[in-house]
C-alpha cells in the first residue's frame, strides 16, 4: 500500500525531541515554566513586537484580543468572510455581532470594501469595537493600502495571523500590524506545538490583562480570589519546548514549502486556466507558503475542484477546498455580509494542494502524476 499524502502535516525532528525531553527532565511539567517564557520571547522577536502570551490555541488569542478591544453585546466586529470559522467564532464568544466583508482575487480581504463598511456601520450609529484582518493561507493582507485609515476611524485592528507566522508585508513581519495579533500552532499550521497559540502585541497593559484573564482571572490574594470570569487558556511548558524546536526550524520549513509550490507552478505552467493564489497576483515576496492554493477556470479546465479532490483521494492524496466563506455557513447565514461574489467564486473554483514541509520530492511527483492529466482533460 502506498502511504497516504496529507495536506499539511506536523513536521518534527530530533531538534524538537531534544527540547521536549529537556523540558520533561527539568521537572517543569506542570503548566508554566522557563520554556514558556523563552518561547514567548523568541516569538515576540520573530514578530517584531514587544511581548507575547503563550496560549492553548489561536482562537483563545483572538478571544482575549477582542475582549480587550471592548467587543461584546451591542457592538460589531468587521472581518473577512473568507476565513476559518475560528475567526468568527471568537467574535461570537464575546457576544459581539460579526459583519463579514468580501475578498480580492488573491483571497485576502478587500481593504477598500472593509473601510467603506466600517464607515457605513458608524454612520448607522453602530459601535465598531474592532476590525479583524486575516492573513490568509500565509500571505499578509494589504496593510499598505489599509495604512492608517482605521486609525482615522478610531477603530482598533486585531490581526488574525494564525496562518502567517514568518510572512512579511513591505518588510514588516506578520503579527506586527494590529494592536494585537493572534498566532496558531495547531497541528496543520506552518509550525506546531501540537495545539497552541500566541497573543502578540506592543501593548504591555493589554498583554498583562490577557495574562490575568487566561489564568482564571485570579486576584493577587493568598487564597483563590475572583471578581470576574476568567479562562483556562495558557500553554504548558512541555508544548512550549516543542514550539522552541519548531521555531528554530521555521525558516527551513518555509523554504521547503516554497520549493514545493515552485515545483507545482513549473508542472502546471502550461495550463492557462490554473491560477496560483498569491504567486500569480504578485504577492509572493513575503509569503510563508503555508498552503498552495490554485483556482481552476471552469471555461478552460474541464475538471472541477470536487472531481479533482475525488480523484486525488482515490490515489491516496489529501486535497481540500479553500475556506468556505462565513456568509455561506449555516451558522452565520443571518449575519450581515458585504459581498462582491469573489469569495464565493474562489470557494467554488479553488483547490488546496498537499503543501507540508515533510513531503518528499517523490511524493510531490506522485501528486502531479494524478493532477496533471486530470487538469489537461486526459482523464477524470
Ligand atoms: C487555525 C486558525 C485559527 C485558529 O487557531 P487554533 O490554534 O486552531 O485555535 C484562527 N484563524 C485562522 C485564520 C486559522 O487558520
Amino acid at each position: 500500500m502506498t502511504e497516504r499524502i496529507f495536506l499539511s502535516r506536523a513536521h518534527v525532528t530530533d531538534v524538537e525531541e531534544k527540547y521536549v525531553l529537556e523540558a520533561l527532565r527539568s521537572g517543569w511539567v506542570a503548566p508554566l515554566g522557563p520554556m514558556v517564557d523563552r518561547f514567548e520571547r523568541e516569538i515576540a522577536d520573530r514578530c517584531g513586537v514587544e511581548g507575547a502570551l503563550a496560549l492553548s490555541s489561536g482562537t483563545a488569542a483572538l478571544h482575549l484580543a477582542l475582549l480587550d478591544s471592548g467587543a461584546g453585546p451591542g457592538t460589531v466586529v468587521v472581518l473577512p468572510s473568507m476565513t476559518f470559522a475560528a475567526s468568527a467564532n471568537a467574535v461570537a464568544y464575546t457576544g459581539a455581532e460579526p459583519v463579514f466583508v468580501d475578498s480580492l482575487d488573491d483571497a485576502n480581504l478587500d481593504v477598500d470594501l472593509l473601510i467603506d463598511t466600517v464607515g457605513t456601520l458608524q454612520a448607522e450609529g453602530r459601535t465598531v469595537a474592532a476590525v479583524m484582518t486575516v492573513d490568509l493561507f500565509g500571505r499578509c493582507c494589504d496593510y499598505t493600502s489599509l495604512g492608517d485609515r482605521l486609525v482615522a476611524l478610531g477603530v482598533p485592528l486585531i490581526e488574525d495571523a494564525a496562518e502567517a507566522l514568518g510572512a512579511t508585508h513591505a518588510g514588516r513581519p506578520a503579527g506586527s500590524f494590529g494592536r494585537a495579533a493572534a498566532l496558531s500552532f495547531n497541528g496543520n499550521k506552518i509550525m506546531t506545538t501540537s495545539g497552541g497559540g500566541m497573543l502578540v502585541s506592543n501593548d504591555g497593559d493589554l498583554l498583562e490583562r490577557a495574562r490575568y484573564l487566561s489564568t482564571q482571572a485570579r486576584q493577587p490574594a493568598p487564597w483563590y480570589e475572583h471578581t470576574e470570569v476568567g479562562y483556562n487558556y495558557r500553554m504548558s511548558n512541555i508544548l512550549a519546548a516543542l514550539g522552541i524546536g519548531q521555531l528554530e526550524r521555521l525558516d527551513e520549513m518555509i523554504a521547503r514549502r516554497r520549493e514545493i509550490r515552485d515545483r507545482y507552478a513549473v508542472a502546471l505552467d502550461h495550463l492557462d486556466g490554473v491560477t496560483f493564489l498569491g504567486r500569480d497576483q504578485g504577492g509572493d515576496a513575503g509569503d510563508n507558503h503555508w498552503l498552495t492554493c490554485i483556482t481552476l477556470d471552469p471555461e478552460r479546465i474541464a475538471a472541477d475542484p470536487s472531481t479533482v479532490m475525488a480523484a486525488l483521494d482515490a490515489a491516496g492524496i489529501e486535497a481540500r477546498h479553500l475556506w468556505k466563506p462565513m456568509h455561506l455557513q449555516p451558522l452565520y447565514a443571518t449575519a450581515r455580509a458585504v459581498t462582491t461574489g469573489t469569495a464565493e467564486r474562489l470557494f467554488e473554483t479553488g483547490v488546496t494542494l498537499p503543501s507540508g514541509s515533510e513531503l518528499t520530492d517523490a511524493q510531490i511527483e506522485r501528486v502531479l502524476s494524478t493532477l496533471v492529466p486530470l487538469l489537461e482533460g486526459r482523464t477524470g
Side-chain angles (χ1 to χ4, degrees):
M1 242 289 308
T2 44
E3 207 188 328
R4 190 164 168 82
I5 295 175
F6 292 96
L7 193 78
S8 179
R9 229 181 168 190
H11 181 196
V12 294
T13 67
D14 51 4
V15 173
E16 290 82 357
E17 196 176 309
K18 185 191 76 177
Y19 284 112
V20 172
L21 208 59
E22 187 184 324
L24 278 170
R25 287 181 177 158
S26 72
W28 291 95
V29 173
L32 297 164
M35 292 289 188
V36 175
D37 301 338
R38 176 174 163 187
F39 188 38
E40 287 175 347
R41 237 177 9 255
E42 291 183 356
I43 288 285
D45 286 350
R46 179 75 199 211
C47 292
V49 296
E50 292 292 319
L53 180 69
L55 298 166
S56 53
S57 72
T59 312
L62 288 173
H63 185 198
L64 295 173
L66 286 164
L67 288 175
D68 183 81
S69 74
T75 70
V76 293
V77 174
V78 186
L79 73 162
S81 181
M82 180 155 256
T83 183
F84 178 48
S87 314
N89 289 345
V91 175
Y93 296 169
T94 69
E97 178 192 330
V99 172
F100 299 110
V101 172
D102 217 307
S103 294
L104 295 172
D105 284 342
D106 75 343
N108 260 326
L109 181 67
D110 183 333
V111 168
D112 290 336
L113 196 60
L114 169 83
I115 295 297
D116 283 354
T117 303
V118 171
T120 302
L121 287 162
Q122 289 181 328
E124 288 171 9
R126 304 299 308 269
T127 303
V128 182
V131 156
M132 184 194 292
T133 54
V134 180
D135 302 327
L136 218 55
F137 302 120
R139 260 185 327 282
C140 288
C141 65
D142 190 354
Y143 293 107
T144 306
S145 157
L146 186 61
D148 52 14
R149 289 198 276 170
L150 278 179
V151 180
L153 294 169
V155 176
L157 170 64
I158 294 168
E159 182 187 359
D160 181 348
E163 303 178 1
L165 178 61
T168 58
H169 173 82
R172 251 176 82 181
S176 70
F177 292 96
R179 161 166 162 193
L183 303 173
S184 169
F185 311 118
N186 197 5
N188 61 356
K189 293 297 192 321
I190 190 99
M191 62 166 260
T192 187
T193 56
S194 79
M198 193 88 80
L199 179 67
V200 296
S201 179
N202 284 318
D203 184 336
D205 293 339
L206 181 153
L207 289 172
E208 218 29 66
R209 168 117 183 116
R211 188 178 305 270
Y212 154 79
L213 287 177
S214 71
T215 47
Q216 303 288 18
R218 188 181 168 193
Q219 293 291 334
W223 48 83
Y224 287 92
E225 177 86 5
H226 303 274
T227 57
E228 59 189 315
V229 174
Y231 306 91
N232 180 9
Y233 274 174
R234 283 290 259 162
M235 178 185 283
S236 85
N237 198 56
I238 304 292
L239 297 189
L242 178 49
I244 289 168
Q246 286 268 284
L247 185 56
E248 205 170 291
R249 295 181 45 253
L250 177 62
D251 287 321
E252 185 183 309
M253 293 193 287
I254 290 173
R256 177 58 186 156
R257 285 189 191 244
R258 173 178 295 122
E259 223 169 70
I260 290 170
R261 182 170 310 174
D262 288 348
R263 176 65 194 120
Y264 284 133
V266 167
L268 304 182
D269 189 47
H270 63 295
L271 292 161
D272 278 343
V274 175
T275 302
F276 282 75
L277 285 197
R279 194 179 210 276
D280 289 341
Q281 287 110 2
D284 209 38
D287 200 322
N288 77 1
H289 300 80
W290 175 50
L291 294 179
T292 290
C293 307
I294 56 173
T295 55
L296 309 177
D297 179 350
E299 314 260 288
R300 287 185 283 186
I301 302 287
D304 65 8
S306 299
T307 311
V308 170
M309 276 175 265
L312 288 172
D313 185 59
I317 298 161
E318 183 190 24
R320 295 231 182 121
H321 290 280
L322 309 195
W323 298 128
K324 181 175 178 179
M326 290 304 114
H327 73 277
L328 301 178
Q329 298 285 356
L331 175 60
Y332 292 111
T334 59
R336 187 158 163 182
V338 185
T339 57
T340 59
T342 303
E344 188 165 351
R345 178 175 52 74
L346 289 167
F347 172 62
E348 281 165 3
T349 59
V351 181
T352 300
L353 299 173
S355 309
S357 48
E358 90 293 359
L359 293 172
T360 63
D361 290 351
Q363 285 176 311
I364 299 301
E365 295 312 314
R366 225 184 90 200
V367 175
L368 286 168
S369 69
T370 303
L371 185 64
V372 173
L374 259 169
L375 298 183
E376 285 176 347
R378 289 194 276 125
T379 61

